[in-house]
Amino acid sequence: MYVTERFFLPNDFKEYLKNLKPIFGFGAFGETTYYRTYSRKTGPNSHEHWPDTIIRVIEGIFSIRKNHYRKYNLSWRDEDYIEFAKNMAINAFKMKWLPPGRGLWIMGTEYIYERGSAALYNCAAVDTTDLVNAADWAMDMLMVGAGVGFNTAWDGKANKPDKKNYLIYIIEDSKEGWVKSVRLLLESYIKNRPFYRFDYSKIRPAGSELKMFGGIAGGPEPLKRLHKNIEKTMDDYIEGKIDKTRCVVDIFNELGVCVVSGNIRRSAEIAIGSPYDKTFLNLKNYEKYPDRAEIGWISNNSILIKDINDYKVLDEIAALIEKNGEPGILNLENMQHYGRFGEEIKDKAWLSNPCGEIALESYELCNLAEIFISRCENIDEFLKMVEYATFYASTVNLLPTHREETNKIIARNRRVGVSVSGVADFIEKKGFETLIKWLRAGYKKVREINKNLAIGAGIPISLKVTAVKPSGTISILAGTSPGMHYPPFTYAIRRIRIGKNSELGKFLKESNVPYEIDMYDENTYVFEFPIKYDNPKSVQDVTVWEQMMILATLQREWSDNMVSNTIEFSKEYKAKDIANILKEFLPMIKSVTMLPKSDHIYPQMPFSKISKEEYEKLMKSFPKLDWSKYTGHEATGERFCSSLSCTFR
């Protein structure tokens, strides 16, 4: 048991909170997103409503801090924190600030209290020099929902095992059992260990409830496919059919696809390679590597620029970006030498999380929290939200994970990422100069709060404390533009896919929410919601130069980690233009992804542009949803990092 102490909000306050009506951004769409993604079952025919989730999260984060203080004989009295906790809860309820999706889903659950903090972390990365340990750790983290970055550093030493004389491993029906099976298989190729065949009989069937973690089991089939694919990948490598780069990336992509297929809540990856590695640069060229199409989508691919001498490759890289937006670019020199641009902070990190907001060391994790700056009325309110978000982020890493190699790095760096979202909305409401003023004051506040919390807990001050995360689903709850990005359209039809047989699908259908049968899956409904962003401009109205300026400003004024971004450019920009943009801005930033704007229209798109008149007409006829009639659904999260800004291509 990792957490034995408990903190509870007063019962009268909890009743007060339960009697408040939440105002979700985008109305019914935001509320539906909450129930689909974060509402946990509380009984056979009951589930959380928004106040229940907030109470669980707040009591959970204060329980972690209380447990740490009591464990190390530090001064703690519940009454000293009650008022702060109540105000923190009210403002989370109002969606002025929120924990990340990981926190909304699992903070304050028995799973965390019993198994440690790994499932609370968003960001993870691992060096593949030791491919067996790296794959073991990566699958472990993917299975609790963290996004994993990895490089291609493995030395390539492997031999074909003796498959005739094999042992049998009966896989336990647990996360640990799945991870161990992958380790055993890779060890037979890389560490000259015995070869194993696997018995899957103990793995619960597809559709079974995952009572501790939450969600529904995917059954043994995804794991069977993973073992088959890893075996083929290793055999192909040893036989010379693929090279080392493909071997590493294919294995990690196969891990990610398995986790998604196995119904774990989220699986996102980033592959990090050399700009001089031709194989790496072509990993998503499915004409050249058609067999990668089934797995390549699971990761974004980025190159690591080590210093100014590597800028000579930007012309070639720009030509690739012009075609399909990859690879992204990581600037190692800035990652390791600077916090906010111009402020020196020495950092050993050389890897990144999938959406590019956190630079990480190998086996390191980072947790996030988010402030919706466009929902703050004034700078004083913003600074108060900074305090709550910093308390949350700075508390998560007081709780150890179940991996010792990870705990050592977290204990040294205490890296956190307090993020801002709705930045584009704020710029249009209050102006660029006001944004800069707020961010400067906010960064000082994050540092002040983090320092005081670290001293109180007897731990090092965090190496880095701020980031800008992509904020896909969480920004939907709050109804803001995601992270630093402008919305795709001001008025839109937003579509969401939900299983026919799910309680949520049945409820929305019976409530007369417009829907169609999914063209690609007859067992899925596609529901349609009209939405309006509180922003007169969309990304269609914003130039690539404006987007890059916002990125550089956030890197200079707010983020001492990195800024998750996808910079969209119109078709008029050719490779030479993209190269010039990169050469001008790359010295000032740490990460960048550029994507050609698409005018491709296809049926049942996630977003479809509509006019103001169409929006108003649809809103008049849209049904009111009575969520008191909805019971028994187990939330299911995003299958991968699917936000407007962290796009998998």
Side-chain angles (χ1 to χ4, degrees):
M1 180 68 75
Y2 283 80
V3 178
T4 56
E5 298 287 343
R6 297 290 187 274
F7 177 94
F8 297 102
L9 291 163
N11 288 331
D12 60 344
F13 174 77
K14 289 193 274 192
E15 287 304 311
Y16 162 76
L17 205 63
K18 290 177 181 180
N19 287 321
L20 295 178
K21 180 175 175 55
I23 301 175
F24 285 92
F26 308 129
F29 179 62
E31 197 159 17
T32 299
T33 300
Y34 159 69
Y35 281 107
R36 184 202 64 166
T37 315
Y38 300 117
S39 171
R40 297 185 69 93
K41 288 185 74 170
T42 54
N45 295 301
S46 61
H47 57 87
E48 290 178 338
H49 297 286
W50 184 241
D52 303 309
T53 301
I54 296 303
I55 290 166
R56 168 172 55 76
V57 167
I58 297 301
E59 290 186 339
I61 196 67
F62 278 88
S63 293
I64 290 173
R65 186 159 285 271
K66 177 180 179 178
N67 190 79
H68 176 87
Y69 279 47
R70 290 281 172 83
K71 180 179 179 180
Y72 292 102
N73 297 315
L74 303 170
S75 176
W76 178 277
R77 297 191 314 159
D78 283 4
E79 52 266 37
D80 293 338
Y81 292 89
I82 290 293
E83 287 304 312
F84 182 79
K86 286 161 63 175
N87 289 324
M88 189 171 167
I90 287 170
N91 283 285
F93 180 91
K94 293 179 179 178
M95 290 165 267
K96 301 274 188 176
W97 81 275
L98 282 173
R102 306 301 315 143
L104 274 185
W105 169 246
I106 209 161
M107 173 58 80
T109 64
E110 289 302 315
Y111 185 93
I112 292 300
Y113 296 151
E114 292 184 13
R115 303 197 181 196
S117 62
L120 291 169
Y121 286 92
N122 308 72
C123 312
V126 66
D127 179 275
T128 63
T129 298
D130 185 332
L131 186 59
V132 173
N133 284 343
D136 178 291
W137 187 88
M139 188 169 187
D140 196 356
M141 295 304 149
L142 287 166
M143 291 189 76
V144 295
V148 175
F150 63 95
N151 61 11
T152 59
W154 179 49
D155 64 10
K157 294 179 181 177
N159 295 289
K160 211 163 195 176
D162 179 3
K163 296 185 180 182
K164 293 180 179 179
N165 298 305
Y166 59 84
L167 301 176
I168 298 290
Y169 174 60
I170 302 172
I171 302 170
E172 298 174 9
D173 185 29
S174 65
K175 174 175 68 71
E176 292 78 11
W178 285 42
V179 172
K180 184 176 179 180
S181 71
V182 170
R183 169 177 275 276
L184 291 174
L185 181 55
L186 285 173
E187 282 182 338
S188 69
Y189 283 92
I190 297 171
K191 295 186 180 292
N192 296 315
R193 303 280 171 81
F195 185 74
Y196 279 86
R197 295 294 182 195
F198 300 104
D199 182 334
Y200 306 88
S201 60
K202 286 189 175 182
I203 297 176
R204 73 192 77 183
S208 303
E209 185 177 342
L210 301 173
K211 293 183 178 180
M212 282 291 289
F213 189 77
I216 303 298
E221 289 305 317
L223 186 60
K224 289 180 181 179
R225 287 196 298 272
L226 175 64
H227 291 148
K228 180 180 177 181
N229 290 340
I230 289 178
E231 188 175 341
K232 182 179 186 306
T233 297
M234 292 303 304
D235 287 345
D236 284 352
Y237 169 68
I238 291 168
E239 293 167 9
K241 296 177 181 177
I242 62 174
D243 66 6
K244 179 177 73 74
T245 296
R246 269 210 57 183
C247 184
V248 173
V249 179
D250 284 8
I251 286 173
F252 272 72
N253 285 175
E254 287 156 1
L255 294 176
V257 170
C258 172
V259 172
V260 169
S261 303
N263 254 351
I264 307 304
R265 292 181 59 78
R266 175 180 176 228
S267 182
E269 296 180 344
I270 185 170
I272 302 168
S274 165
Y276 307 104
D277 185 336
K278 300 301 182 183
T279 298
F280 186 85
L281 295 178
N282 282 283
L283 284 174
K284 291 199 178 180
N285 180 348
Y286 298 135
E287 292 181 2
K288 185 170 185 177
Y289 301 128
D291 50 326
R292 295 204 78 254
E294 293 184 359
I295 60 173
W297 58 270
I298 199 71
S299 70
N300 283 333
N301 298 340
S302 288
I303 57 167
L304 192 67
I305 297 290
K306 294 185 177 180
D307 54 42
I308 197 169
N309 295 318
D310 286 337
Y311 279 41
K312 62 180 177 288
V313 305
L314 292 179
D315 292 310
E316 178 184 356
I317 298 303
L320 296 171
I321 292 171
E322 182 188 359
K323 293 180 181 178
N324 67 1
E326 289 210 11
I329 300 173
L330 298 169
N331 184 335
L332 182 65
E333 190 169 23
N334 286 350
M335 290 160 61
Q336 292 191 327
H337 290 88
Y338 298 100
R340 295 187 300 170
F341 188 72
E343 294 181 349
E344 289 195 17
I345 298 179
K346 298 299 181 183
D347 194 335
K348 296 179 181 179
W350 71 99
L351 303 167
S352 169
N353 76 306
C355 290
E357 69 264 34
I358 303 289
L360 295 163
E361 294 183 43
S362 184
Y363 300 109
E364 187 176 13
L365 301 173
C366 182
N367 60 286
L368 311 173
E370 189 163 6
I371 304 140
F372 299 97
I373 190 169
S374 59
R375 293 186 68 142
C376 296
E377 296 299 322
N378 52 56
I379 191 170
D380 291 333
E381 184 177 52
F382 171 64
L383 293 177
K384 184 56 71 173
M385 298 312 113
V386 166
E387 189 172 355
Y388 300 142
T390 306
F391 183 93
Y392 179 92
S394 301
T395 298
V396 168
N397 62 38
L398 295 179
L399 182 64
T401 74
H402 61 289
R403 306 282 305 217
E404 285 305 314
E405 68 270 56
T406 296
N407 292 337
K408 290 177 183 177
I409 300 168
I410 290 175
R412 169 163 49 83
N413 289 340
R414 300 288 174 178
R415 193 189 305 269
V416 299
V418 178
S419 179
V420 287
S421 205
V423 171
D425 297 347
F426 186 95
I427 290 170
E428 296 305 316
K429 282 182 180 180
K430 291 185 167 66
F432 219 89
E433 68 282 1
T434 305
L435 174 69
I436 291 173
K437 178 182 177 182
W438 285 32
L439 293 179
R440 287 175 178 171
Y443 183 79
K444 290 180 182 178
K445 189 71 171 180
V446 176
R447 277 292 177 188
E448 174 192 336
I449 298 299
N450 177 264
K451 178 180 178 180
N452 292 339
L453 290 170
I455 291 171
I459 63 170
I461 297 166
S462 294
L463 176 68
K464 290 178 179 175
V465 294
T466 49
V468 179
K469 68 196 274 291
S471 186
T473 305
I474 296 297
S475 66
I476 290 172
L477 304 186
T480 72
S481 57
M484 65 158 276
H485 297 88
Y486 277 82
F489 312 107
T490 299
Y491 298 94
I493 293 292
R494 188 68 162 90
R495 296 181 178 88
I496 185 171
R497 285 169 161 78
I498 296 172
K500 271 187 183 180
N501 296 324
S502 71
E503 292 299 320
L504 182 56
K506 294 173 186 175
F507 169 76
L508 294 175
K509 182 183 177 185
E510 291 169 1
S511 299
N512 297 314
V513 175
Y515 74 94
E516 298 175 344
I517 304 298
D518 192 330
M519 294 176 60
Y520 307 101
D521 182 356
E522 63 181 15
N523 295 313
T524 300
Y525 292 132
V526 181
F527 291 96
E528 297 183 346
F529 296 81
I531 67 168
K532 173 186 178 295
Y533 280 92
D534 189 18
N535 195 320
K537 291 171 93 173
S538 74
V539 72
Q540 312 303 323
D541 308 313
V542 182
T543 69
V544 63
W545 294 97
E546 290 175 278
Q547 296 172 69
M548 291 296 290
M549 183 57 69
I550 294 171
L551 167 57
T553 299
L554 290 169
Q555 191 70 78
R556 184 185 72 234
E557 304 293 349
W558 177 259
S559 180
D560 56 14
N561 284 290
M562 301 197 291
V563 178
S564 178
N565 66 89
T566 300
I567 307 300
E568 298 191 36
F569 58 90
S570 58
K571 291 181 178 178
E572 67 190 58
Y573 286 89
K574 304 304 179 186
K576 61 181 178 57
D577 305 307
I578 296 166
N580 288 336
I581 292 168
L582 290 172
K583 289 171 185 176
E584 285 195 33
F585 282 94
L586 200 56
M588 299 182 286
I589 59 178
K590 300 179 184 180
S591 66
V592 64
T593 300
M594 300 185 72
L595 181 69
K597 289 180 180 177
S598 174
D599 54 9
H600 179 56
I601 297 175
Y602 56 90
Q604 300 179 339
M605 293 177 68
F607 280 92
S608 292
K609 182 180 180 180
I610 58 175
S611 67
K612 178 182 179 182
E613 292 72 25
E614 288 174 302
Y615 169 78
E616 291 174 346
K617 181 180 178 181
L618 289 168
M619 286 300 294
K620 285 180 181 178
S621 62
F622 198 84
K624 292 189 181 297
L625 304 183
D626 183 359
W627 291 98
S628 66
K629 296 180 180 178
Y630 166 63
T631 59
H633 170 70
E634 180 65 89
T636 56
E638 299 287 354
R639 289 302 185 88
F640 52 90
C641 191
S642 58
S643 72
L644 296 179
S645 53
C646 186
T647 306
F648 280 75
R649 294 174 289 282

